[in-house]
């Protein structure tokens, strides 16, 4: 094969990865904003007896959840907070642009540190996709939880998620085909340090033409356990902390239904929601 043909073949193999948008791939494979919003909305109403109107999404990224919140009910308003200007710009160009003019007016995106931001007091503050794990020191996570409690409206609720299980402490790769093989989502836990709890993870995407988008997203976290998270929330003054555990369907797969739980199973991997009431 001539060098020109080799170069042409190489270019063809890289084409799908070159054309891919990492934020769109993430939303297709990781973030289910509609189900997330449904959970926090219904849980807030079941606890407080009324509907939440103002939601603040910390570490909001592309503001996908903010957009889903204002779509969910007329009158809902959202505040999105993130330090990354580029990702906020992407969200404005690709997510907010899909909203009506009225819906866009009900979203306020703020480029600022969640430890310093001052906002109107929301009914709900959301920190999902384990985003708060970037605080690797106990004092820093405690400071964030304290700030959240202070920022919430009276009777407000803080929602967050966590994952764990014995596989979470391993260095591994897991693959999952998305959209009937349109692309493959690859979750890599590159390194776990049992002394510090430090966890380095990456998301890669692979395509049918053989091309890859490696390290589309990388995370430098601490793997916080549920008892640690619950203890810190209680220490910072939240009146009640509830863990919501996911059930299983008849095929042994997660059923997507999260219910309050005081105990859980020692599974290889699990994801849960947490609510902390002001």
């Amino acid at each position: 094969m001539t060098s020109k043909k080799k170069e042409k073949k190489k270019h063809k193999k890289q084409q799908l990865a070159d054309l891919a948008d990492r934020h769109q791939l993430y939303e297709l494979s990781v973030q289910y904003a509609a189900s997330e919003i449904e959970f926090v909305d219904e849980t807030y109403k079941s606890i407080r007896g009324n509907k939440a109107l103002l939601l603040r999404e910390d570490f909001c990224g592309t503001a996908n959840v903010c957009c889903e919140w204002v779509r969910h009910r007329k009158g809902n308003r959202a505040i999105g907070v993130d330090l990354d200007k580029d990702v906020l710009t992407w969200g404005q160009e690709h997510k907010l642009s899909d909203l009506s003019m009225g819906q866009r007016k009900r979203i306020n995106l703020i480029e600022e540190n969640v430890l310093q931001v001052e906002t109107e007091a929301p009914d709900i503050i959301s920190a999902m996709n384990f985003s708060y794990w970037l605080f690797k020191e106990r004092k820093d996570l405690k400071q964030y939880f304290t700030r959240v409690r202070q920022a919430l409206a009276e009777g407000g609720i803080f929602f967050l998620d966590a994952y764990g299980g014995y596989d979470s402490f391993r260095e591994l790769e897991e693959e999952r085909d998305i959209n009937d093989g349109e692309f493959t989502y690859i979750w890599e836990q590159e390194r776990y340090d049992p002394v510090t709890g430090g966890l380095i993870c990456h998301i890669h995407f692979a395509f049918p033409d053989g091309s890859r988008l490696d390290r589309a997203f990388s995370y430098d976290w601490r793997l916080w356990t549920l008892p640690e998270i619950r203890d810190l929330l209680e220490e910072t003054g939240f009146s009640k902390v509830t863990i919501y555990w996911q059930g299983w369907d008849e095929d042994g797969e997660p059923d997507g239904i999260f219910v309050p739980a005081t105990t859980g199973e020692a599974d290889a991997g699990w994801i849960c929601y947490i609510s902390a009431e002001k």
Side-chain angles (χ1 to χ4, degrees), residues 152-257:
L152 282 165
E154 201 60 40
I157 301 178
F158 180 33
F159 288 94
L160 53 166
D161 57 5
Y163 83 81
Y166 47 86
D167 274 353
S168 63
F169 300 97
R170 296 175 55 208
E171 295 169 0
L172 54 75
E173 280 194 13
E174 295 178 340
E175 297 186 2
R176 180 160 48 89
D177 284 339
I178 306 297
N179 284 357
D180 296 324
E182 179 182 340
F183 65 92
T184 300
Y185 162 85
I186 303 167
W187 171 254
E188 178 189 5
Q189 291 173 182
E190 180 189 4
R191 174 166 169 73
Y192 172 73
D193 185 336
V195 174
T196 65
L199 181 66
I200 304 294
C201 300
H202 309 286
I203 293 175
H204 317 288
F205 298 105
F207 302 89
D209 65 352
S211 61
R212 287 173 59 102
L213 190 56
D214 287 314
R215 297 194 175 189
F217 298 92
S218 294
Y219 307 97
D220 184 356
W221 286 336
R222 172 170 168 174
L223 180 59
W224 291 94
T225 66
L226 281 179
E228 289 175 315
I229 296 167
R230 184 186 59 227
D231 289 350
L232 275 171
L233 289 167
E234 291 173 347
E235 281 181 33
T236 50
F238 285 95
S239 63
K240 184 177 181 181
V241 178
T242 305
I243 309 297
Y244 300 84
W245 205 255
Q246 186 171 202
W248 305 92
D249 62 23
E250 57 187 16
D251 297 321
E253 297 295 326
D255 61 9
I257 301 172

Side-chain angles (χ1 to χ4, degrees), residues 73-230:
R73 184 168 49 244
K74 187 176 181 180
N76 277 5
R77 295 185 297 123
I79 302 167
V81 182
D82 202 289
L83 268 176
D84 191 327
K85 181 178 181 179
D86 290 340
V87 76
L88 286 174
T89 299
W90 190 97
Q92 289 174 323
E93 294 175 352
H94 294 84
K95 304 304 296 186
L96 271 71
S97 61
D98 289 338
L99 301 176
S100 69
M101 182 62 71
Q103 290 169 335
R104 287 198 293 273
K105 288 180 178 179
R106 291 189 272 122
I107 294 180
N108 179 24
L109 299 186
I110 303 173
E111 180 191 343
E112 199 165 339
N113 191 324
V114 295
L115 294 177
Q116 299 170 344
V117 69
E118 298 287 345
T119 66
E120 180 182 353
D123 302 308
I124 291 172
I125 293 181
S126 172
M128 297 293 191
N129 297 315
F130 330 113
S131 49
Y132 61 97
W133 283 9
L134 62 82
F135 297 118
K136 296 192 286 185
E137 297 294 329
R138 193 178 193 277
K139 62 180 178 57
D140 295 329
L141 187 58
K142 186 173 183 178
Q143 181 186 0
Y144 173 58
F145 286 171
T146 299
R147 293 278 302 178
V148 167
R149 186 181 178 279
Q150 292 170 344
L152 282 165
E154 201 60 40
I157 301 178
F158 180 33
F159 288 94
L160 53 166
D161 57 5
Y163 83 81
Y166 47 86
D167 274 353
S168 63
F169 300 97
R170 296 175 55 208
E171 295 169 0
L172 54 75
E173 280 194 13
E174 295 178 340
E175 297 186 2
R176 180 160 48 89
D177 284 339
I178 306 297
N179 284 357
D180 296 324
E182 179 182 340
F183 65 92
T184 300
Y185 162 85
I186 303 167
W187 171 254
E188 178 189 5
Q189 291 173 182
E190 180 189 4
R191 174 166 169 73
Y192 172 73
D193 185 336
V195 174
T196 65
L199 181 66
I200 304 294
C201 300
H202 309 286
I203 293 175
H204 317 288
F205 298 105
F207 302 89
D209 65 352
S211 61
R212 287 173 59 102
L213 190 56
D214 287 314
R215 297 194 175 189
F217 298 92
S218 294
Y219 307 97
D220 184 356
W221 286 336
R222 172 170 168 174
L223 180 59
W224 291 94
T225 66
L226 281 179
E228 289 175 315
I229 296 167
R230 184 186 59 227

